Amino acid sequence: DSIYVRNYGRVCDNALSYGDNFHYCEECNEYFYDGNGDAIHTEDGTWFCDEDCAESAGYRYVESDGWYKRDELYYCEECDEWVHTDDWDSEHECCVNCVPEEDEEDEREAV
């Protein structure tokens, strides 16, 4: 028995089980070969064949941090970037990098 793998061709079931470069796209429901650099491996371990499938499934790329579900992200209007909830300052409604300097100094003095 064999199965078609996008960007590769037909492979046997054993190749899917033991091959490091064969993955299943959770959005388009197809097996794919990730040797061409288009594959997306999210922070929660989900695989997608490309950015279109990842975005269609509700994921977004956070610059230099990886791919996350949209419900784990905030959009910072100050720096025009998506940030993970760990990097969000709810009080100022911006990312931690965009918190006004005077507020950072006040916080340091309070400690």
Side-chain angles (χ1 to χ4, degrees), residues 5-8 21-23 31-37 39:
V5 175
R6 185 192 297 180
N7 300 327
Y8 194 82
N21 291 359
F22 299 122
H23 305 285
Y31 284 96
F32 67 93
Y33 176 72
D34 74 352
N36 64 359

Side-chain angles (χ1 to χ4, degrees), residues 21-33:
N21 291 359
F22 299 122
H23 305 285
Y24 185 77
C25 179
E26 297 294 332
E27 183 64 12
C28 67
N29 300 315
E30 292 183 9
Y31 284 96
F32 67 93
Y33 176 72

